[in-house]
Amino acid sequence: MRNLLALLCTFSNVLTFLHGQGIAGNLTNFDHCSTKQKVELFTDHLEIQIEDGQRPLKVNFLWLRDHSRSDDTYNKRSHQRVKSILDISENVKPLTYTYCDSHLHIHWSDGSEYEYSLEWIRKVMGESKDSSMQMLWNQETISDKIVQVDCNEMMIEKKGLTKFFEGMEQNGFALLTECQSTKSATMAAADRICPLHESIFGKLWEIEVRDQTSNLTRYEVADTNSPQEFHTDSSYLTDPNGYQIFHILKAAKEGGDSLLIDGIYVAEKMRAEHPDMFEVLANTEVTWEFLKFSPPYMFHQHKDRTFRLDLAGNILQIRYNNYQRAVLTGLGLKQTEEFYSAYRMFTEMLSDPANQLWRKLQPGTILFFDNWRMLHGRSSFQGARKLTNGWFKRETWLNAARINKFFD
């Protein structure tokens, strides 16, 4: 019985998220209810006073009718709309409404009726407190907040997987510890999360010192024992890999330490201290490319900004890779000067040791990180060192994270 109640509770939470109502199909009994919210109708919208002292939510009538989850509008089994926007009058209005505590019942002018959860409206209208767990960091603030999950715990128990996903969202990276130091164990850990992407290098490949004259896959600094400057991977692709897995199968005797930088932290610091420079990198397109002139031939190229923002100004992605930065074209003299000044400043901020986390990874510890947020690098090393590496598509990873959050 307890398991059944837990399942019903989880299903109800998912319905609330998808449908915007408390209990699907039921209407609240409004008799003798006490009301905290205040609803007021205007010509084209209604205003909801959620709590005293806060500014009211302004909700457009058409938006509210469009987001009704009534049977004539939304299929609750397939979770898909069944009504076109052309089927809804642009002049639709409430004829009558009743509100009580967390529920608003509307009888619309097109004859439909629906009950809305005011809490759902508040969340989706963006008025609730940001639910993101993201914590931007530098070397000082991350030192005691690194999330480490035992490999067996994540592989077997949901709470381990949940702790892992929460750590990834919070810090942009997480560590799996006490794993077997094999490529197959690395693949198993990746599969526990979601399928790896079949990239231009394969699903899971090794990075080690190679004879660059006969390297049939690629030719680059990663396959030497030289240091690797901080960068994001696959900047030359239209859709760079969203997340990444690193597992050291053989550690170098000297050097070979791994570097992580929270690129969004540094970018936000730049925005706060040098807003003009930030705007230059958020609005100047740079070409990134990857070329290989021996079979199999490759010539990947993409033009985009160093900081990609959403319409609200939030940073969605950092794209920075000096190895793959191609010829800068299409800018006037003043724009060129501004770009180099801003690019130099961002590079200097990334180079600041206060913004860098260094760690020597050992076999059995697997590193996962967000490639749209983290920059990574490596110090030079002596002796043999082998790392296995793989990419995850961002949409595939986020789908897995949502499934873990909303479903048992």
Side-chain angles (χ1 to χ4, degrees), residues 6 10 21 61 85 101 119 155 188 207 247 334 348 357 388:
T10 300
Q21 60 183 28
F61 288 153
I85 190 63
D101 296 330
E119 177 63 19
M155 296 296 291
I207 296 175
H247 189 186
K334 185 174 184 297
E348 288 173 345
L357 174 67
T388 188

Side-chain angles (χ1 to χ4, degrees), residues 61-62 88-94 109:
F61 288 153
L62 185 55
I88 303 174
S89 169
E90 59 183 338
N91 298 314
V92 67
K93 298 180 185 301
S109 56

Side-chain angles (χ1 to χ4, degrees), residues 224-238:
T224 71
N225 62 357
S226 301
Q228 258 197 309
E229 186 189 48
F230 41 78
H231 62 281
T232 59
D233 269 6
S234 61
S235 297
Y236 47 82
L237 297 179
T238 303

Side-chain angles (χ1 to χ4, degrees), residues 143-389:
S143 59
D144 61 345
K145 294 182 176 64
I146 297 174
V147 175
Q148 302 185 68
V149 184
D150 181 88
C151 204
N152 287 331
E153 182 183 3
M154 195 202 77
M155 296 296 291
I156 298 173
E157 302 179 26
K158 178 175 174 121
K159 68 177 183 179
L161 188 59
T162 298
K163 180 181 178 182
F164 170 81
F165 276 124
E166 289 176 350
M168 290 294 300
E169 183 178 358
Q170 173 181 293
N171 297 333
F173 74 97
L175 297 171
L176 284 190
T177 60
E178 305 300 325
C179 304
Q180 295 182 9
S181 54
T182 63
K183 186 175 180 179
S184 60
T186 312
M187 180 64 80
D191 287 341
R192 172 67 169 133
I193 299 163
C194 62
L196 282 165
H197 175 55
E198 186 67 59
S199 77
I200 60 175
F201 304 118
K203 280 191 174 182
L204 202 61
W205 65 98
E206 284 77 38
I207 296 175
E208 58 186 329
V209 176
R210 302 175 190 273
D211 178 2
Q212 295 294 297
T213 62
S214 60
N215 189 348
L216 299 180
T217 304
R218 59 192 197 169
Y219 181 95
E220 59 173 79
V221 70
D223 295 325
T224 71
N225 62 357
S226 301
Q228 258 197 309
E229 186 189 48
F230 41 78
H231 62 281
T232 59
D233 269 6
S234 61
S235 297
Y236 47 82
L237 297 179
T238 303
D239 183 22
N241 61 294
Y243 294 85
Q244 204 148 334
I245 180 173
F246 275 2
H247 189 186
I248 295 288
L249 301 182
K250 182 176 180 60
K253 290 184 178 181
E254 293 184 28
D257 293 9
S258 295
L259 167 66
L260 286 177
I261 302 173
D262 189 341
I264 294 183
Y265 168 84
V266 178
E268 289 292 2
K269 184 176 175 65
M270 186 180 190
R271 170 152 50 186
E273 297 177 358
H274 308 280
D276 293 345
M277 295 292 194
F278 176 90
E279 289 300 320
V280 169
L281 295 186
N283 291 286
T284 304
E285 288 189 329
V286 179
T287 302
W288 319 89
E289 63 185 15
F290 179 79
L291 293 88
K292 185 171 180 295
F293 288 98
S294 60
Y297 301 104
M298 297 185 192
F299 191 171
H300 296 278
Q301 189 178 81
H302 180 71
K303 179 179 284 191
D304 216 323
R305 298 150 292 165
T306 306
F307 304 151
R308 187 163 70 88
L309 314 181
D310 65 16
L311 294 178
N314 302 304
I315 301 174
L316 296 177
Q317 180 186 7
I318 304 292
R319 195 185 291 254
Y320 181 101
N321 193 317
N322 200 53
Y323 299 110
Q324 296 162 355
R325 185 164 56 87
V327 176
L328 185 66
T329 60
L331 300 180
L333 193 62
K334 185 174 184 297
Q335 290 175 306
T336 301
E337 182 179 342
E338 290 174 342
F339 168 76
Y340 278 114
S341 295
Y343 186 79
R344 176 182 295 274
M345 176 174 288
F346 186 52
T347 304
E348 288 173 345
M349 295 176 73
L350 293 170
S351 301
D352 186 345
N355 295 325
Q356 299 182 344
L357 174 67
W358 285 93
R359 189 183 187 107
K360 183 159 186 174
L361 298 174
Q362 296 293 338
T365 297
I366 303 178
L367 168 66
F368 293 81
F369 61 91
D370 182 344
N371 186 55
W372 285 22
R373 174 180 170 184
M374 296 289 112
L375 289 87
H376 64 279
R378 181 196 70 202
S379 66
S380 62
F381 61 91
Q382 297 296 323
R385 180 182 187 269
K386 178 183 286 190
L387 177 145
T388 188
N389 176 39

